[in-house]
Amino acid sequence: MTAIDSPVLTADGTPLKASLRRALRREKARAFLLVAPLLLFVLLTFIAPIADMLFRSVENGIVHDTIPRTVQALRNWEPEESGAPGDDVFEAFYTDMVFAVERKSHTRLGSRLNYERTGLASLFRKSGRRVGKFDTKDYADAFKALDPAWEDPATWDVLAGSEAASLPRTASAHATWLEAVQADGSDPLEEEPWDVLYAALYADLMQAPAGGFGNPLLNDAQSAAAQLEPVSLSEQFGAIDEDWLDPEVWRTIQTYAARYTPGYFLNSVDLKLTAGGVQYRDEGDRIYILLFGRTLYMSLVITISCILLGYPVAFLLANLPLRTANILMILVLLPFWTSLLVRTSSWKVLLQQQGVINDILVALRIVDDASRLILINNQTGTIIAMTHILLPFMILPLYSVMKTIPPTYVRAAKSLGATDWTAFWRVYFPNSVPGIGAGSVLVFILAIGYYITPELVGGTRGVFISNRIAYHISSSLNWGLAAALGTILLFAVLILYWTYDRIVGIDNVKLGG
Amino acid sequence: MSGLPPYASFTQKLWHYAFRVICGVVFFFLIAPIIVIIPLSFNAEDFFTFTPEMLALDPDGYSLKHYNDFFTNPDWQQAMWNSIRIAPMATLLSVSFGTLAAIGLSQPHVPFRRAIMAMLISPMIVPLIISAAGMYFFYSRIGLQGSYWGVVLAHAALGIPFVIITVTATLVGFDRSLTRAAANLGANPVTTFAKVQMPLILPGVISGGLFAFITSFDEVVVVLFVGSAGQKTLPWQMFTGLREQISPTILAVATILVTVSVVLLATIEILRRRSERLRGMSPG
């Protein structure tokens, strides 16, 4: 036995390798345990909300949840067929609408579909008021006259259980009816059956083979139903509004019936989903491409102005003696630390037509009193204020890169005969490019997601995509579209951030110089 | 750059001074908007510009009426108290979770360090409007929207990256043999942390906390969506004031906030120097 063959053992006799591995594992576990609470916290308070937003940008359950029977019935309807769908669709839609109105969810569905086809919101609202007063009351009266048992909710309860297979519509309508009545807080055994149940029963009886029921009550009802004057539901809906007979309306419902839709994303880039495929929106509705373009363009202008203003300052700071530079640095850090709203309000005050800047210009006779400059509530205002707000984010990374350029490089270039300009342009500037890159990406990332400043000084022409997102969340309540716009913006930022990470590295993010 | 050589040509001299003038203009652009609101906030009139009395340095042109309004108007007072109730709580949460995690992250062996780091830093990267939108959707699902704790949790999440960054930066220079020495002398991990590690990283923790505090104190986009009227903070009130009827009280508030940020800036700078001295990274 030689020392080389046998494994090295620790004092307690376990092999050293295993012991070290265990120690490493324990150390890893301890490090992870320290990080875990925060990870969980961020996951719940931040990552989950972002995931929720991504989910909402494609989620479209509302059509399916509000009018499930109609969605089912529309599956068999060919959109190419001219004219409105058949009575089976209207029957399903009638049942769905009655319950949707009871839950008051029809207006929400209307506003959802209104994003895709203008006019549907008012159509649904209007129909909601009338759908309870359809001529289907005739069916109810006829059945009740035939046998008083039909007035008893217990009859329906029994039939929906025992005859569910032969009365599918009735059974499903009855189930939803029970939910609706219970949600209302009433006793289902006391509530008088609604007209919609009789309509469903009528439809079921007309579909079933004559006299095929085991229950005499149903056979009687069936023969009575055959004598009844049929109520055309498509006519009833048509009487509310002609639009219900327009196949385009039904095509829209059919197109947006799916639980998940690319519709919001298409909307974000001025496209829309139609039965015939993806199409451009009407000329007047195309605003998002313009808005994305404007956001990018203005962010670019802001970034470039930050480079132009920040570069000389960073250069000066990096080349002055440390003591002087530190004092001048305060002039950069103070704006950096001052509340964003303070700076925005200050610009709002300065840039007004009766504000300080215009007053000075008038006093210096540069501008006539009658023709004061309009510096606010337009793109100029946004660009000036945002350049001021984001300038420290350009100066700080530029400064830290310039600090690392050895002054000997420029001196060497000069001693080799370069003029001041050549020495700067061929030697110093290329060395400072990483700083420009880092600062630009940082400023650009911050600029494209800005909300407060454009909202306050941008007017209508100086706003960004983020203002539109806020508008859709709080005013138009089109959350899906807001989520889709946000998702696009988020991915743009993540790509830029990835670039930033490649140039600078996340670990090198420094705060306040 | 610092000095001009005696043999400098005329163009060099011209450029030297022109360059300083350009830099001076940029510095002016940076600082003037912040300075100018201070005298304007003492305006005796409800104007947003210098009145002839003010320019003549007439004492009648100045008054404290806008400050008076700030301290007596219930809207502003309510907003101020809301800010004071929200920001420290959010800071407390971010600092306690953040410091713990930063210590964990600075251990030599952390599984998935890069991914974890990216996730913890993300609240700083994602544009506020997107965080606000996501939080609004998600918090209304779980019933936190419009509540005090909803705003506190949201602000804590936004402050965490700052704590992580400053504390990990302090820990980079931390001499690990100190904790080993403490353990060797019989201290248990808790004592080691409290008596040895914490005092050394305290400057980083405090400045991270100040960053988190100012993030929450200044934040308006998220609170606008996640909060309800009951959580109206100072920036929110300023935002409403600027958007609807702009009143000169805003300038008084702005001046107060500038003073607060000057104090915070000075504190952070002092802490940074102290931390560098403690870690022996600079002669002080």
Side-chain angles (χ1 to χ4, degrees), chain A residues 453-487:
Chain A
T453 310
E455 180 77 20
L456 290 176
V457 299
T460 48
R461 296 190 48 80
V463 294
F464 283 16
I465 198 75
S466 41
N467 302 83
R468 200 68 195 171
I469 297 177
Y471 164 78
H472 280 308
I473 295 175
S474 50
S475 305
S476 84
L477 303 183
N478 191 350
W479 289 8
L481 182 56
L485 291 170
T487 305

Side-chain angles (χ1 to χ4, degrees), chain A residues 323-369:
Chain A
R323 194 167 290 275
T324 331
N326 272 343
I327 292 170
L328 284 178
M329 199 54 146
I330 293 175
L331 299 182
V332 180
L333 289 180
L334 185 62
F336 181 77
W337 271 97
T338 306
S339 164
L340 167 68
L341 274 155
V342 169
R343 289 183 280 168
T344 309
S345 28
S346 140
W347 280 113
K348 186 134 185 161
V349 168
L350 291 178
L351 295 174
Q352 284 182 24
Q353 278 198 287
Q354 302 301 325
V356 175
I357 290 181
N358 265 311
D359 278 358
I360 293 175
L361 291 178
V362 170
L364 294 176
R365 316 257 164 150
I366 295 172
V367 173
D368 193 54
D369 198 13

Side-chain angles (χ1 to χ4, degrees), chain A residues 63-304:
Chain A
V63 180
H64 197 279
D65 292 344
T66 315
I67 49 169
R69 296 175 186 84
T70 317
V71 169
Q72 184 72 31
L74 274 174
R75 289 218 177 112
N76 304 320
W77 181 61
E78 290 293 324
E80 284 77 26
E81 284 174 25
S82 56
D87 248 12
D88 58 326
V89 172
F90 278 102
E91 237 167 63
F93 186 60
Y94 168 60
T95 315
D96 283 334
M97 270 302 268
V98 168
F99 293 122
V101 169
E102 179 64 21
R103 286 192 304 260
K104 300 195 171 52
S105 57
H106 67 294
T107 46
R108 280 179 48 223
L109 177 65
S111 12
R112 163 68 190 99
L113 290 171
N114 200 56
Y115 302 142
E116 315 304 339
R117 191 183 164 80
T118 319
L120 284 187
S122 59
L123 185 60
F124 270 84
R125 235 186 349 262
K126 190 157 130 195
S127 311
R129 287 194 294 268
R130 300 265 302 269
V131 83
K133 299 171 195 142
F134 273 9
D135 288 351
T136 44
K137 197 169 175 8
D138 296 355
Y139 293 148
D141 291 343
F143 284 122
K144 282 187 223 165
L146 185 71
D147 195 323
W150 287 116
E151 270 181 85
D152 184 5
T155 315
W156 294 87
D157 219 22
V158 172
L159 286 178
S162 59
E163 300 284 342
S166 48
L167 303 171
R169 292 178 188 80
T170 315
S172 116
H174 182 257
T176 319
W177 179 75
L178 275 183
E179 277 171 31
V181 171
Q182 276 159 358
D184 211 29
S186 324
D187 183 358
L189 291 177
E190 300 288 317
E191 182 83 9
E192 199 175 319
W194 300 354
D195 292 355
V196 65
L197 291 181
Y198 294 98
L201 178 69
Y202 174 82
D204 275 334
L205 292 175
M206 297 309 280
Q207 292 276 319
F213 294 103
N215 190 327
L217 183 68
L218 284 174
N219 280 330
D220 287 352
Q222 191 178 31
S223 41
Q227 309 294 319
L228 283 176
E229 177 82 12
V231 177
S232 162
L233 285 167
S234 56
E235 274 174 25
Q236 297 280 313
F237 275 105
I240 300 177
D241 198 308
E242 295 255 297
D243 278 356
W244 283 122
L245 303 178
D246 179 0
E248 281 302 322
V249 168
W250 294 97
R251 263 170 222 162
T252 310
I253 297 178
Q254 193 184 36
T255 315
Y256 288 94
R259 278 199 168 275
Y260 299 97
T261 174
Y264 293 121
F265 279 102
L266 293 174
N267 196 345
S268 310
V269 288
D270 294 340
L271 298 170
K272 69 175 167 187
L273 194 62
T274 61
V278 175
Q279 284 174 2
Y280 267 109
R281 291 201 165 244
D282 302 334
E283 204 73 56
D285 292 345
R286 293 184 203 166
I287 54 169
Y288 295 108
I289 291 285
L290 179 77
L291 211 52
F292 273 114
R294 188 198 288 160
T295 305
L296 291 181
Y297 164 76
M298 286 180 56
S299 304
L300 207 63
V301 172
I302 291 163
T303 310
I304 291 170

Side-chain angles (χ1 to χ4, degrees), chain A residues 301-461:
Chain A
V301 172
I302 291 163
T303 310
I304 291 170
S305 5
C306 280
I307 297 175
L308 292 180
L309 296 181
Y311 197 91
V313 168
F315 183 82
L316 183 77
L317 288 174
N319 290 289
L320 279 177
L322 200 59
R323 194 167 290 275
T324 331
N326 272 343
I327 292 170
L328 284 178
M329 199 54 146
I330 293 175
L331 299 182
V332 180
L333 289 180
L334 185 62
F336 181 77
W337 271 97
T338 306
S339 164
L340 167 68
L341 274 155
V342 169
R343 289 183 280 168
T344 309
S345 28
S346 140
W347 280 113
K348 186 134 185 161
V349 168
L350 291 178
L351 295 174
Q352 284 182 24
Q353 278 198 287
Q354 302 301 325
V356 175
I357 290 181
N358 265 311
D359 278 358
I360 293 175
L361 291 178
V362 170
L364 294 176
R365 316 257 164 150
I366 295 172
V367 173
D368 193 54
D369 198 13
S371 60
R372 284 168 175 259
L373 300 178
I374 301 166
L375 295 169
I376 205 165
N377 295 335
N378 54 20
Q379 297 197 1
T380 323
T382 308
I383 289 172
I384 295 178
M386 284 189 57
T387 303
H388 176 252
I389 287 165
L390 297 175
L391 191 51
F393 292 95
M394 177 64 83
I395 295 178
L396 294 174
L398 261 178
Y399 172 73
S400 61
V401 167
M402 285 177 175
K403 257 330 241 188
T404 62
I405 305 175
T408 44
Y409 285 11
V410 173
R411 260 183 257 147
K414 281 189 189 163
S415 79
L416 288 169
T419 59
D420 284 350
W421 171 249
T422 317
F424 168 76
W425 184 244
R426 302 282 299 277
V427 178
Y428 195 90
F429 184 76
N431 273 305
S432 67
V433 165
I436 299 184
S440 305
V441 175
L442 194 59
V443 168
F444 196 79
I445 288 180
L446 288 168
I448 60 170
Y450 239 67
Y451 166 66
I452 294 296
T453 310
E455 180 77 20
L456 290 176
V457 299
T460 48
R461 296 190 48 80

Side-chain angles (χ1 to χ4, degrees), chain B residues 91-135:
Chain B
T91 310
L92 189 71
L93 283 178
S94 2
V95 170
S96 39
F97 283 119
T99 309
L100 216 58
I103 292 173
L105 280 171
S106 63
Q107 309 274 323
H109 306 284
V110 188
F112 315 111
R113 186 204 299 267
R114 259 187 94 74
I116 291 177
M117 196 70 178
M119 205 193 255
L120 297 184
I121 301 287
S122 61
M124 196 172 80
I125 309 301
V126 174
L128 279 175
I129 186 73
I130 293 175
S131 316
M135 285 168 171

Side-chain angles (χ1 to χ4, degrees), chain A residues 24 27-35 37-39 41-50 52-53 55-56 308-313 315-317 319-321 326 328-350 352 354-356 359 384 387-388 391-392 395 420 445-446 448-452 455-456 466-467 469-471 473-474 477 479-480 482-483 485-487 489-490 493-494 497 501 506-507 509-513, chain B residues 1-2 12 19-20 22-24 26-27 29-37 40 48-50 93-94 97-98 100-105 107-112 114 116-142 152-154 156-158 160-162 164-166 176 207 210-211 214 218 220-221 224-225 234-236 238-239 242-243 246 250-251 253-255 257-258 261-262 264-265 268-269 272-273:
Chain A
L24 182 65
E27 205 171 329
K28 274 189 181 177
R30 204 177 52 203
F32 192 75
L33 275 181
L34 284 170
V35 182
L38 180 66
L39 207 57
F41 184 81
V42 171
L43 222 52
L44 279 178
T45 56
F46 189 77
I47 307 288
I50 299 290
D52 189 24
M53 187 193 73
F55 172 69
R56 274 189 202 258
L308 292 180
L309 296 181
Y311 197 91
V313 168
F315 183 82
L316 183 77
L317 288 174
N319 290 289
L320 279 177
N326 272 343
L328 284 178
M329 199 54 146
I330 293 175
L331 299 182
V332 180
L333 289 180
L334 185 62
F336 181 77
W337 271 97
T338 306
S339 164
L340 167 68
L341 274 155
V342 169
R343 289 183 280 168
T344 309
S345 28
S346 140
W347 280 113
K348 186 134 185 161
V349 168
L350 291 178
Q352 284 182 24
Q354 302 301 325
V356 175
D359 278 358
I384 295 178
T387 303
H388 176 252
L391 191 51
I395 295 178
D420 284 350
I445 288 180
L446 288 168
I448 60 170
Y450 239 67
Y451 166 66
I452 294 296
E455 180 77 20
L456 290 176
S466 41
N467 302 83
I469 297 177
Y471 164 78
I473 295 175
S474 50
L477 303 183
W479 289 8
L485 291 170
T487 305
L489 185 59
L490 178 65
V493 168
L494 288 183
Y497 174 60
D501 189 28
I506 339 173
D507 297 345
V509 182
K510 286 217 182 71
L511 298 165
Chain B
M1 190 71 237
S2 48
Q12 277 175 323
F19 183 74
R20 295 197 166 209
I22 294 172
C23 290
V26 178
F27 279 125
F29 171 72
L30 271 170
I31 207 77
I34 297 169
I35 302 297
V36 82
I37 52 170
L40 279 179
F48 290 102
T49 186
F50 291 98
L93 283 178
S94 2
F97 283 119
L100 216 58
I103 292 173
L105 280 171
Q107 309 274 323
H109 306 284
V110 188
F112 315 111
R114 259 187 94 74
I116 291 177
M117 196 70 178
M119 205 193 255
L120 297 184
I121 301 287
S122 61
M124 196 172 80
I125 309 301
V126 174
L128 279 175
I129 186 73
I130 293 175
S131 316
M135 285 168 171
Y136 178 69
F137 296 147
F138 186 71
Y139 287 9
S140 31
R141 261 187 223 273
I142 58 175
V152 167
L153 290 179
L158 295 179
I160 278 167
F162 298 96
I164 294 279
I165 288 173
T166 49
R176 290 177 59 78
S207 66
L210 287 178
F211 272 106
I214 204 103
D218 246 12
V220 57
V221 186
L224 214 53
F225 287 95
L234 217 45
W236 184 350
M238 287 180 85
F239 179 74
L242 284 172
R243 195 156 62 168
I246 170 161
I250 284 179
L251 295 181
V253 182
T255 309
L257 290 182
V258 169
S261 48
V262 168
L264 285 181
L265 174 63
I268 287 189
E269 188 57 24
R272 194 174 63 85
R273 295 206 176 153

